[in-house]
Amino acid sequence: MKHIILPAVLLAIPTVAFAQAPDDAAADSSTIIVTGEGLELPPGTPAYGSVVIDRQRLLDSASGRIESVLGDVAGFQQFRRSDSRSSNPSNQGATLRALGGNASSRTLMLLDGVPIADPFFGYIPFSALAPERLSVVRVTRGGGIGAFGAGAVAGTIEMASATRDQLPDFSASAFYGSRDSTELSAGLTQDLGGGYVSLSGRWDRGVGFQTTPKDQRVAATVPAAYDGWSTNLRAVAPLSATSELQFRATLFEDNRTLRFKGADSMSQGQDASIRYINRGAWQVDALAYIQARNFANIVMSSSTFRKSLDQRNTPSTGIGGKIEIRPPVGDAHMLRLGVDTRFATGDMYEDAYNANVATNPRTFLRHAGGDQWTTGFFVEDDWTLGGLVLTGGARADRWSISNGFYHQASATTGATTGSDYADRSDWEFSGRVGALYHASDAFALRASAYSGFRLPTLNELYRPFVVFPITTQANAALTPEKLKGAEAGVDLTPIEGITLSATAFYNRLDDAIANVTVATNTRQRQNVDRIVAKGVELTAAAKLGDFNLSASYAYSHSRVRAPGAAFDGFTPAQTPRHAASATVAYSPAHGPSLSTTLRYVAKQYEDDLQSDVLPDALTLDAIARLPIGHGISLVARGENLFDETVVTRNAGGSMDLGTPRTLWIGVSFGR
């Protein structure tokens, strides 16, 4: 992990040429150089305090999973503390800045500029995001909505695909781990004309560990088995000396079993995008994408261990695009103009069963769904005045929620109940401003203020769910969440190779969507008045010879403001006050390497009434590589080496646990 500070160009994703032009051709406009990247980052980007995770750190993950690496950025969290092997996929929303746990993402996650959240649920398909396919990840905590698209109320996580120079012609790895786990991956990258094509695949499976504490297990309790695969095709082709076309397609499927035999879930997706980049005088970034996703889940009764619900089919589609233009307005300015749009539609088909009867008859058939559309127009300008960079932008977003419904039919009589909900639409206006002042090469100050919004997902609007013994009701009347925030920070480079950063922030999320207790064992999604989060984030990085050190700490004081409610003044659910991460890596140019990561998460509450505690947890991960020649290395990995008990769910004492000590041994080639 590397904190990006001075100068501004350091924040940009490195521009790496596929074919190096000879020196005498450097000024030849006919020379075609393919990068496979987006446009360079504006000079004002550091004003919003980004943290970058580089490719080596992505490859040095003990778990081999992107969500674990994102934990390097203190303050990053999912709805549950579980990773994508032992959590229900619909729980895997990403958030930052202690704005409250939510299974839908409050953080906008982008891959090569494309939003990747599920169109119906809003969760992130982490299992489909193989770290070895990525070049870099940039995390912006806060920052509101810039030229990204709607949904960045808690920040933005931008991922970029690996470039040609980072992708060997062939790479592969194979690992065997605790509890009969295997992980296989391979990649093939070949030059094609003036561009290249890269095809990669990954398959993970395992018997899994017992997520249920020993004293709560019954005959029907089983380990959290998982079996998932993904494949990715990426092609980059030059169109001229300054422009190129990028194409990406990803297919994935993930199957998991959680807690009880038969409690199976499945998520799958087929995503494709095409992007046009022009780096000429009039710079252009234009992309279009389509996502086809599905989800299925079987809920078992925790008393009779028979099927109580079969969420058998949840097809959803996301379609969208973006056009950004940067006209030539002089060296002192970078002006960005554009429009982006996203359409999401989805349906939920589920069958309810009577789990108290031996024949386990079907009782109800349910169908729910709807459509969402958001179109935004944005303008942003960065103005460089010597050591001072000023940045500011504004957005106008038109949103609509339409064709919403929830229908239930009796399986025995055919009688139907339910509702069709009125269409809604409105405009949201948001913006952000920032300043970055380079007092010297070793000292910089930054400040920013911003606003943003997030629409409730189709899942939050129309789909109730049960995690025994709690039933959570949907709410078709939910309104958008709206963020206002400000922050200030300082970046220091006391000596070459060492960077230090501190940020103080204040964020207010109005009409925050939360799971509110309305009766015993019953919650409902509701807009609460607001969540106020304030705190401090510290980041440090150092490169000392062959040693690399990085550390991150976040202190968050977060409170719910809901006058008249029982939880007024409480800490939002799923929100720790302290989070920290530290990584020490020894990485010589040749010979063995070692990387260790220590993480701490303070206690947090499962529910809005602070009745169920998730204790704090301290974990240690490590990975060691031993090159044996010809591009082959032996690799050993260890997760949670302390074998810390990590409680991921606590509903009145009914608990789920996170990953115990897990050891891996394997071999890699070309990495």
Side-chain angles (χ1 to χ4, degrees):
M1 183 180 66
K2 181 179 179 182
H3 193 83
I4 298 305
I5 53 172
L6 311 176
V9 70
L10 290 178
L11 223 161
I13 298 171
T15 300
V16 183
F18 156 65
Q20 180 64 48
D23 292 341
D24 58 13
D28 185 356
S29 62
S30 65
T31 301
I32 296 177
I33 299 177
V34 174
T35 70
E37 300 168 340
L39 298 178
E40 66 176 329
L41 295 173
T45 303
Y48 302 105
S50 297
V51 177
V52 167
I53 303 172
D54 62 24
R55 179 168 173 80
Q56 189 58 52
R57 178 67 188 111
L58 291 167
L59 295 177
D60 284 343
S61 166
S63 69
R65 314 191 84 78
I66 186 66
E67 63 270 28
S68 297
V69 184
L70 289 172
D72 285 4
V73 181
F76 168 82
Q77 65 180 107
Q78 301 178 75
F79 182 61
R80 302 288 183 204
R81 294 175 173 180
S82 311
D83 65 26
S84 55
R85 293 167 293 189
S86 59
S87 176
N88 189 290
S90 63
N91 286 335
Q92 296 193 272
T95 193
L96 296 158
R97 285 269 164 93
L99 289 174
N102 194 314
S104 300
S105 290
R106 287 194 168 113
T107 298
L108 179 63
M109 285 194 70
L110 304 170
L111 175 57
D112 298 329
V114 176
I116 62 170
D118 183 87
F120 186 89
F121 292 92
Y123 70 80
I124 305 300
F126 284 112
S127 62
L129 302 173
E132 62 267 20
R133 298 173 188 158
L134 302 177
S135 170
V136 68
V137 177
R138 187 170 72 253
V139 180
T140 303
R141 295 174 285 198
I145 297 177
F148 302 122
V153 294
T156 308
I157 299 175
E158 300 167 86
M159 299 174 290
S161 293
T163 54
R164 178 62 179 101
D165 77 310
Q166 296 171 330
L167 296 170
D169 291 348
F170 177 73
S171 63
S173 65
F175 288 89
Y176 184 79
S178 304
R179 298 172 294 278
D180 193 28
S181 302
T182 57
E183 176 191 306
L184 304 175
S185 65
L188 178 67
T189 303
Q190 295 295 306
D191 303 339
L192 183 62
Y196 63 91
V197 175
S198 181
L199 177 65
S200 61
R202 179 167 171 161
W203 176 39
D204 303 275
R205 57 153 299 279
V207 172
F209 61 91
Q210 289 282 2
T211 61
T212 307
K214 190 171 184 179
D215 60 355
Q216 297 181 11
R217 296 173 195 168
V218 295
T221 302
V222 295
Y226 65 97
D227 192 333
W229 59 268
S230 67
T231 185
N232 187 78
L233 173 67
R234 189 163 190 262
V236 180
L239 299 179
S240 71
T242 59
S243 64
E244 64 189 46
L245 203 61
Q246 304 170 6
F247 172 80
R248 180 177 56 82
T250 303
L251 308 177
F252 67 88
E253 182 171 314
D254 193 342
N255 296 276
R256 308 177 198 176
T257 299
L258 301 177
R259 197 173 178 90
F260 299 123
K261 182 179 180 181
D264 303 326
S265 68
M266 181 279 299
S267 61
Q268 61 181 201
Q270 303 88 41
D271 296 0
S273 65
I274 189 166
R275 189 182 196 185
Y276 169 75
I277 297 291
N278 190 327
R279 298 181 178 84
W282 283 76
Q283 297 185 20
V284 178
D285 183 350
L287 66 87
Y289 62 87
I290 184 170
Q291 300 160 328
R293 306 282 181 83
N294 205 347
F295 173 79
N297 184 55
I298 295 175
V299 179
M300 305 296 290
S301 166
S302 61
S303 57
T304 66
F305 312 111
R306 301 188 186 102
K307 181 163 54 177
S308 62
L309 189 67
D310 184 358
Q311 298 166 338
R312 53 186 172 83
N313 196 20
T314 315
S316 63
T317 303
I319 302 173
K322 166 187 169 181
I323 299 176
E324 177 184 330
I325 299 174
R326 300 181 182 181
V329 290
D331 294 340
H333 288 271
M334 178 178 286
L335 178 63
R336 309 168 72 188
L337 306 169
V339 58
D340 54 59
T341 187
R342 178 173 172 85
F343 172 74
T345 183
D347 291 84
M348 174 208 72
Y349 299 90
E350 69 178 24
D351 299 340
Y353 290 79
N354 187 344
N356 296 317
V357 177
T359 57
N360 202 197
R362 187 170 61 173
T363 56
F364 293 102
L365 290 75
R366 298 168 183 155
H367 183 200
D371 302 332
Q372 291 182 328
W373 201 313
T374 305
T375 299
F377 304 88
F378 63 85
V379 56
E380 190 161 273
D381 183 53
D382 289 25
W383 186 12
T384 302
L385 299 165
L388 175 65
V389 180
L390 302 176
T391 178
R395 286 186 61 95
D397 286 271
R398 178 67 174 178
W399 62 264
S400 67
I401 298 173
S402 59
N403 302 318
F405 66 92
Y406 177 84
H407 297 157
Q408 178 174 275
S410 170
T412 55
T413 68
T416 61
T417 58
S419 299
D420 294 298
Y421 303 105
D423 296 349
R424 294 182 283 155
S425 61
D426 204 349
W427 285 91
E428 292 289 343
F429 299 94
S430 54
R432 63 179 188 170
V433 294
L436 174 68
Y437 177 60
H438 300 281
S440 69
D441 291 340
F443 180 69
L445 296 171
R446 51 185 163 80
S448 60
Y450 37 79
S451 62
F453 81 101
R454 179 185 76 89
L455 282 182
T457 63
L458 298 173
N459 175 59
E460 291 170 318
L461 291 165
Y462 308 125
R463 174 185 168 263
F465 69 94
V466 178
V467 178
F468 186 86
I470 307 297
T471 297
T472 301
Q473 302 170 347
N475 185 352
L478 291 172
T479 59
E481 299 180 325
K482 301 176 184 179
L483 175 85
K484 296 181 179 67
E487 61 188 71
V490 57
D491 299 318
L492 303 174
T493 309
I495 60 175
E496 185 178 358
I498 297 179
T499 61
L500 305 171
S501 176
T503 303
F505 67 89
Y506 175 92
N507 285 180
R508 191 181 85 181
L509 186 64
D510 294 321
D511 297 323
I513 298 172
N515 296 335
V516 176
T517 300
V518 295
T520 302
N521 291 334
T522 304
R523 297 173 187 160
Q524 184 186 50
R525 300 183 181 102
Q526 294 183 6
N527 290 106
V528 301
D529 186 55
R530 64 187 181 274
I531 294 174
V532 176
K534 50 190 176 182
V536 175
E537 297 158 345
L538 305 176
T539 304
K543 182 173 178 57
L544 306 171
D546 293 332
F547 286 91
N548 288 277
L549 301 90
S550 62
S552 180
Y553 167 75
Y555 167 79
S556 305
H557 185 275
S558 188
R559 287 289 183 265
V560 178
R561 303 302 182 193
F567 52 86
D568 182 39
F570 285 10
T571 300
Q574 308 291 338
T575 301
R577 180 161 293 190
H578 303 274
S581 174
T583 297
V584 179
Y586 173 70
S587 304
H590 305 284
S593 63
L594 174 67
S595 177
T596 61
T597 299
L598 187 69
R599 292 195 182 96
Y600 173 76
V601 179
K603 76 172 184 179
Q604 58 198 63
Y605 296 99
E606 172 77 24
D607 62 326
D608 58 324
L609 299 180
Q610 299 189 358
S611 57
D612 297 318
V613 176
L614 305 178
D616 61 350
L618 180 69
T619 59
L620 176 68
D621 295 346
I623 178 171
R625 298 179 184 273
L626 176 64
I628 58 177
H630 304 288
I632 301 173
S633 296
L634 295 177
V635 184
R637 306 186 332 211
E639 304 176 57
N640 191 7
L641 292 174
F642 294 153
D643 203 21
E644 177 86 341
T645 298
V646 181
V647 179
T648 63
R649 185 188 66 89
N650 179 8
S654 174
M655 295 184 179
D656 287 338
L657 306 178
T659 307
R661 182 188 295 117
T662 302
L663 305 178
W664 297 86
I665 188 69
V667 61
S668 69
F669 172 77
R671 292 177 184 162

